[in-house]
Amino acid sequence: MGAGGRPEMPYGWGRVGYSYEERWPWMNLPFPVEEYHRRLARLRQLMAAWNLDAMVVMGSPSDNGNIRYLTNFEVFYPGGRQVVVVPANGEAGLTTDGVMHGEPMHSGIQDAWLENVRCAASPKTVTGSAEAVSIFDHVEDFLLEAGLEGGRLGLVAATPEFTAFLESTFPRCELVPADAVMIEMRKLKSPLEIEALRKAAHLADAAMQAAMDAVRPGVTEFDIAAEAVFALFREQAEHLSFPIAVTAGPRSGFKHMAPTDYTVRDGDLVYIDVGGRYMGYYSDCSRQCVCGTPNDEQLRFMEAQIDIVEACTDMIRPGTRVASIAEVGLDMARSAGYEEYLYFRGHGIGCATHDLPSIAPGNPAQFEENMVFCFEPMLVRKEFGTACWEDMWRVTVDGVERLNRCQVRWW
């Protein structure tokens, strides 16, 4: 039993046990367990620098990156929440109410590598006078068992409801917003993470190749999207990274839109943005082409965007400021007459589609070795189309490595 006299595992009416020994044969980990132990050790180093007695990290279906990073657990149940408690000393614990059918082993909990896992019923499945143990109760137990009734707690992604619960239950605790700790944790990728991201990039390459190969007069945007998605899962994606964007003709001047039954015509500019997730790690890739032979302005437009990507990535190495490459990109767009169409953007990628670095004009942040980022300085022109070569890049000791292998030009 937990410190509050509540059951630790298995919870409630579940018929299938989910102790560590029962989870282990079914556990699908992208890395050896030692990689996760290294992450917890690094987290505790950062906690010490912040003078924190524990980290309390919350997740949700819309923002699960921190939880997946620390535990490999992915919530499947709509509305399911997760909390990881990592004390400075002692065992880390995971609790979730993302439980379908009252069965944690129907709900992905077998992929959580932590031994101390305690599940609660989804609030949506509890009716009448039932008094179910909640994830908040389990968090209370984790903190009591670690002797942290008056500790300094770092909170990550805590909802107002959860914060209020901690304030009322542990009035002697100091609650410190600590989202920056996890942002710092995930900023630089380990060698194993880089290999996972390389595999994720391969998924995007396969999807893009299939989508571009499908472009011809008479196909619909749905047809193109279907080929991309089929290729993703054929190459072992666990999910799409995000809803696929396929736009053709005048619609491509809005860049990100869901596919429709629009029929591609000769001369249409076709834009595609797609990514797949490999074992919790995301990819993000964009290309455009013209159905048939591009006219002179389409060709100049697309080549101008490629020139910007090449010039900027040639500049990047550890210590390069984001603002510096943005200035070059803006100057090039201006010289080509495309300044009004340029959106200079990019983002780090890892256990979520957006990590550090954040690439935008004016950002003084510097690139660091083993950052992995998607670079997408896009030219977006209403009723004309979008030009955007977007790939994933790793910052090396003296430059960048392109993780994608898919061709850049389809003309």
Side-chain angles (χ1 to χ4, degrees):
M1 303 295 284
R6 290 177 277 264
E8 294 180 10
M9 64 173 70
Y11 172 77
W13 59 86
R15 301 173 186 175
V16 182
Y18 65 94
S19 67
Y20 185 79
E21 292 73 23
E22 289 165 306
R23 282 182 278 128
W24 175 253
W26 306 98
M27 204 173 290
N28 189 25
L29 297 178
F31 313 115
V33 171
E34 289 75 18
E35 172 79 358
Y36 296 99
H37 284 294
R38 285 192 287 269
R39 292 179 185 183
L40 289 188
R42 168 64 175 151
L43 179 58
R44 287 184 167 115
Q45 289 177 346
L46 293 172
M47 289 164 55
W50 279 55
N51 193 28
L52 296 174
D53 297 305
M55 284 285 286
V56 183
V57 183
M58 195 170 195
S60 69
S62 62
D63 186 6
N64 189 65
N66 288 325
I67 303 298
R68 186 79 189 249
Y69 182 83
L70 293 172
T71 72
N72 195 49
F73 175 62
E74 176 81 13
V75 65
F76 280 83
Y77 194 85
R81 301 167 296 178
Q82 318 103 67
V83 180
V84 175
V85 177
V86 182
N89 299 291
E91 187 179 17
L94 165 68
T95 180
T96 181
D97 59 11
V99 176
M100 295 184 285
H101 321 137
E103 284 285 7
M105 292 289 276
H106 292 187
S107 313
I109 202 65
Q110 60 270 22
D111 287 339
W113 74 271
L114 289 176
E115 293 194 27
N116 191 5
V117 174
R118 307 180 191 184
C119 294
S122 167
K124 295 181 180 180
T125 68
V126 178
T127 59
S129 60
E131 294 183 4
V133 176
S134 74
I135 60 168
F136 290 5
D137 294 326
H138 286 316
V139 169
E140 180 181 355
D141 287 351
F142 288 148
L143 294 173
L144 290 173
E145 290 159 22
L148 293 172
E149 298 92 328
R152 180 175 160 90
L153 309 181
L155 304 188
V156 177
T159 63
E161 177 192 13
F162 185 47
T163 302
F165 163 78
L166 291 172
E167 288 173 339
S168 63
T169 308
F170 297 98
R172 293 194 294 114
C173 281
E174 181 184 0
L175 307 182
V176 181
D179 296 80
V181 174
M182 288 305 303
I183 292 171
E184 180 68 19
M185 273 282 295
R186 289 168 46 185
K187 178 176 67 174
L188 305 182
K189 293 345 188 234
S190 73
L192 288 176
E193 286 184 284
I194 290 167
E195 290 310 305
L197 287 163
R198 200 183 304 278
K199 292 176 182 177
H202 168 72
L203 300 177
D205 288 343
M208 189 61 70
Q209 186 73 50
M212 285 295 186
D213 287 348
V215 174
R216 64 182 62 88
V219 302
T220 67
E221 294 170 347
F222 284 134
D223 294 329
I224 297 169
E227 295 299 324
V229 172
F230 176 77
L232 275 178
F233 287 99
R234 182 187 59 209
E235 296 297 322
Q236 303 181 5
E238 61 180 3
H239 287 294
L240 287 163
S241 291
F242 45 81
I244 187 172
V246 179
T247 55
R251 281 171 40 83
S252 67
F254 291 109
K255 194 171 188 277
H256 287 110
M257 297 175 74
T260 69
D261 61 359
Y262 175 84
T263 300
V264 176
R265 299 169 175 81
D266 189 66
D268 278 351
L269 200 155
V270 179
Y271 170 76
I272 299 164
D273 191 353
V274 67
R277 200 176 71 182
Y278 174 81
M279 298 297 285
Y281 283 78
Y282 290 78
S283 59
D284 187 359
C285 181
S286 293
R287 296 287 191 279
Q288 78 288 321
C289 69
V290 172
C291 181
T293 303
N295 62 38
D296 289 346
E297 178 56 18
Q298 288 172 327
L299 186 61
R300 196 173 83 88
F301 189 70
M302 294 187 294
E303 290 289 349
Q305 193 271 339
I306 291 173
D307 289 345
I308 291 171
V309 174
E310 290 179 337
C312 291
T313 53
D314 283 348
M315 294 175 60
I316 298 172
R317 52 193 38 80
T320 301
R321 293 187 305 115
V322 172
S324 297
I325 69 166
E327 290 166 5
V328 170
L330 290 165
D331 283 344
M332 293 180 68
R334 189 178 300 115
S335 297
Y338 294 140
E339 180 181 12
E340 65 179 299
Y341 307 125
L342 178 65
Y343 297 80
F344 194 89
R345 295 290 184 271
H347 53 90
I349 194 163
C351 277
T353 54
H354 286 69
D355 277 345
L356 291 181
S358 178
I359 301 174
N363 185 355
Q366 297 180 350
F367 290 95
E368 299 179 49
E369 186 179 359
N370 290 327
M371 282 181 166
V372 177
F373 64 93
C374 298
F375 189 41
E376 51 177 340
M378 62 198 81
L379 297 176
V380 186
R381 187 170 170 184
K382 183 180 177 183
E383 297 183 10
F384 180 85
T386 292
C388 184
W389 162 29
E390 177 189 15
D391 273 344
M392 296 164 59
W393 305 78
R394 175 177 74 96
V395 182
T396 66
V397 66
D398 57 2
V400 291
E401 175 195 3
R402 180 175 167 237
L403 299 187
N404 295 84
R405 293 291 178 263
C406 190
Q407 70 190 73
V408 176
R409 294 173 175 86
W410 265 269
W411 55 88

